[in-house]
Amino acid sequence: MTKRRSSNNEDKSKPKRKNNQGSVYFDNATNKYRAAITTDDGKRASKRFDSEQEAEDWVALKRAEMGLGTFIAPSETKLGEYMVEWLETHIEPDVRQRTLDRYISLTAHLGTLKDKPIQQITATMLKKLYNNIKVKRVHKDPKTKEKIIEMVPASGETKKKVHNLIHACLEQARIDRIIQSNPAKDVTPPKVTREEVETFTEDEINSILATCKSMKNLSGHPEHQWYPAVYMAVVTGVRMSELLGLRWMDAQDGYIYIRQGLHMTDSGEIIFEDPKSSAGKRKISLPPEYLPILAQCKARALEKYGEDFSTELLVFTSLEGTPINPQNWQRFWRKLLHQAGVEPKNFHALRHTHATKLLAAGMPLMDVSRRLGHAKPSHTLDLYGHAMPGQDDIIAGKIADIYNLPDKIKKDSIRGKPDDK
């Protein structure tokens, strides 16, 4: 085969291509055939091949794609740099700061893929990335009590969040015509194994409350200044952010109204945000046993602030009257459980305990879901359905009445009579 070269000895037997129809020539520097074509916007796209036929086929394919409007120009845009632009342009304007912080934290799991050109990323590469994601785990050596930091495989939930991030980013790259198709669509999302929720026993709840009430504190009151907050969390199931963001205007006439939450950004700034959904904005009734505790808490606030008291003030604060730093609350919570002799669990376990107790007591699923602020009752059912008492025996006893069956047995003999002896 005669090689077509970029020098003067190019094969003259072949007709010269018209403008914008592409070209193929042999590149002496790389010892490969280079195919090139000029796009509609005047940019030149090219690619190297081992054979002249491959180069010719590529030019023909790209000309066809340009005619159909499906042409994607070659690009060296890397996943990492495009994701930064995507986050700034398409995500940051439409989400809360904490949500953006979570997106940014997930980019740490991109590994070497962040330096890969988007057009070279394949579904297999993504699958390998998910399989190898690791997270930092910090724990203490039971003997030496020294802090140990190790990297362990990430949970399915973390892997799925990374997948969702990459999928959304690459989908925008497809819309921007950087890639023809989204390789993340060809990857089965990582499986999420839902772990059983942590709850406290009745004895543990009573121990937590009793210990909190008698914990040493600097408030000058008989019980710890945050005892009313812990008690409220037990009897309402509110989230930590909702508890710490509660104002006196949100606690009235035996109810609390969830209208905002207190959060801390990655930069350490404390902010207040509205609930994410309309279901999150809700009214929660307080048990009568708690009302005197809340009334005493308000009386102390009135005494402390005097004429400066305002219903805009937070119900639960630091001793200085400032918003409670969530990290300080978590430290207090761990100390409380330790002193109460209760196995360490997240503060959120109080919410799980509240939900499971209500459902186990036969409270309607819809009412419990509203109390928790879930957008969908199905979410409540997925999390706590195991706690709902079984009614299968009762159902079986009512089937005959429901269908008015001809052979139905009298109710007093449904379970049979005692054997004659």
Side-chain angles (χ1 to χ4, degrees):
M1 177 188 296
T2 302
K3 298 180 178 179
R4 299 182 62 202
R5 303 176 184 273
S6 57
S7 58
N8 293 331
N9 61 349
E10 183 178 353
D11 189 350
K12 304 292 185 180
S13 62
K14 295 188 178 182
K16 184 179 179 180
R17 300 177 191 268
K18 296 180 180 180
N19 290 334
N20 297 331
Q21 289 192 346
S23 62
V24 173
Y25 62 90
F26 187 77
D27 187 351
N28 289 313
T30 60
N31 201 34
K32 289 182 179 292
Y33 286 91
R34 180 182 287 275
I37 193 168
T38 303
T39 62
D40 293 335
D41 58 3
K43 295 181 180 179
R44 188 172 174 83
S46 66
K47 191 173 182 179
R48 297 187 185 95
F49 296 92
D50 291 329
S51 71
E52 184 177 15
Q53 188 58 54
E54 289 176 315
E56 294 281 2
D57 292 343
W58 183 85
V59 169
L61 175 62
K62 297 307 166 186
R63 286 181 60 196
E65 289 175 351
M66 290 175 66
L68 294 171
T70 60
F71 175 72
I72 302 293
S75 170
E76 292 297 317
T77 302
K78 295 179 175 59
L79 176 62
E81 63 187 57
Y82 182 79
M83 186 166 287
V84 170
E85 179 184 342
W86 171 70
L87 287 170
E88 292 177 349
T89 305
H90 299 281
I91 302 300
E92 185 175 2
D94 300 324
V95 300
R96 304 179 182 197
Q97 182 60 46
R98 290 186 308 117
T99 303
L100 180 63
D101 289 344
R102 284 196 294 269
Y103 272 73
I104 293 173
S105 67
L106 289 173
T107 62
H109 298 301
L110 295 180
T112 57
L113 209 60
K114 69 178 184 297
D115 297 320
K116 197 80 172 174
I118 293 179
Q119 292 186 345
Q120 297 180 21
I121 293 176
T122 65
T124 299
M125 291 178 184
L126 294 177
K127 185 63 176 177
K128 288 181 178 179
L129 172 70
Y130 305 153
N131 291 342
N132 294 319
I133 292 178
K134 294 184 182 296
V135 295
K136 184 189 297 183
R137 189 181 74 172
V138 181
H139 62 96
K140 287 185 178 180
D141 185 288
K143 294 182 179 179
T144 64
K145 303 300 181 182
E146 292 182 355
K147 184 184 292 186
I148 299 175
I149 301 176
E150 58 181 347
M151 302 303 293
V152 298
S155 66
E157 185 174 1
T158 297
K159 292 179 179 180
K160 188 170 184 179
K161 287 179 179 178
V162 174
H163 168 75
N164 292 341
L165 175 76
I166 295 175
H167 186 287
C169 180
L170 292 181
E171 185 60 20
Q172 186 61 49
R174 184 192 66 78
I175 295 171
D176 289 343
R177 302 193 62 74
I178 295 176
I179 50 178
Q180 187 76 48
S181 60
N182 184 350
K185 285 188 175 181
D186 297 325
V187 182
T188 302
K191 185 178 180 181
V192 177
T193 303
R194 189 180 295 279
E195 297 180 359
E196 187 174 344
V197 296
E198 291 185 318
T199 59
F200 294 106
T201 65
E202 291 182 15
D203 288 341
E204 287 175 332
I205 290 293
N206 289 327
S207 179
I208 289 170
L209 290 175
T211 302
C212 185
K213 190 172 184 178
S214 61
M215 276 181 76
K216 183 179 179 180
N217 68 94
L218 302 175
S219 66
H221 303 303
E223 72 276 350
H224 194 278
Q225 69 268 19
W226 290 344
Y227 169 68
V230 174
Y231 203 126
M232 179 180 284
V234 169
V235 299
T236 62
V238 294
R239 301 175 178 90
M240 182 181 72
S241 61
E242 297 168 341
L243 182 73
L244 302 187
L246 195 71
R247 299 160 297 185
W248 283 113
M249 65 166 54
D250 304 322
Q252 300 177 27
D253 304 323
Y255 297 94
I256 58 172
Y257 297 82
I258 305 302
R259 299 181 176 120
Q260 68 174 16
L262 181 152
H263 305 276
M264 188 168 69
T265 66
D266 285 354
S267 62
E269 178 187 4
I270 290 180
I271 60 175
F272 295 91
E273 292 181 342
D274 294 340
K276 290 183 178 180
S277 66
S278 58
K281 293 182 179 180
R282 62 199 190 278
K283 171 184 174 183
I284 301 176
S285 58
L286 298 172
E289 295 80 8
Y290 180 70
L291 296 182
I293 298 173
L294 185 60
Q296 186 180 52
C297 185
K298 186 172 185 178
R300 288 171 178 169
L302 288 167
E303 180 183 357
K304 178 178 180 179
Y305 294 104
E307 294 181 355
D308 293 330
F309 176 83
S310 167
T311 56
E312 293 279 352
L313 292 173
L314 295 172
V315 176
F316 309 115
T317 66
S318 67
L319 287 175
E320 294 77 21
T322 58
I324 298 173
N325 185 309
Q327 293 182 347
N328 292 341
W329 179 267
Q330 294 287 17
R331 280 191 286 269
F332 157 75
W333 177 249
R334 289 192 293 268
K335 181 180 179 181
L336 171 58
L337 294 189
H338 177 72
Q339 292 189 13
V342 175
E343 180 183 351
K345 291 184 178 73
N346 290 329
F347 182 74
H348 208 72
L350 285 182
R351 179 174 170 83
H352 294 324
T353 303
H354 187 71
T356 53
K357 287 289 186 184
L358 292 180
L359 291 172
M363 296 296 102
L365 173 66
M366 184 65 72
D367 291 333
V368 175
S369 183
R370 290 193 185 114
R371 189 174 179 88
L372 295 175
H374 288 164
K376 297 180 180 179
S378 58
H379 181 56
T380 311
L381 186 62
D382 288 342
L383 282 175
Y384 310 114
H386 65 279
M388 299 177 70
Q391 302 286 327
D392 197 59
D393 286 344
I394 297 176
I395 291 173
K398 292 183 177 294
I399 291 295
D401 289 336
I402 291 172
Y403 288 99
N404 194 27
L405 297 177
D407 299 324
K408 65 181 180 181
I409 303 172
K410 292 182 179 180
K411 291 183 179 179
D412 59 357
S413 61
I414 285 179
R415 296 300 174 193
K417 295 181 180 180
D419 295 336
D420 294 333
K421 292 185 178 180

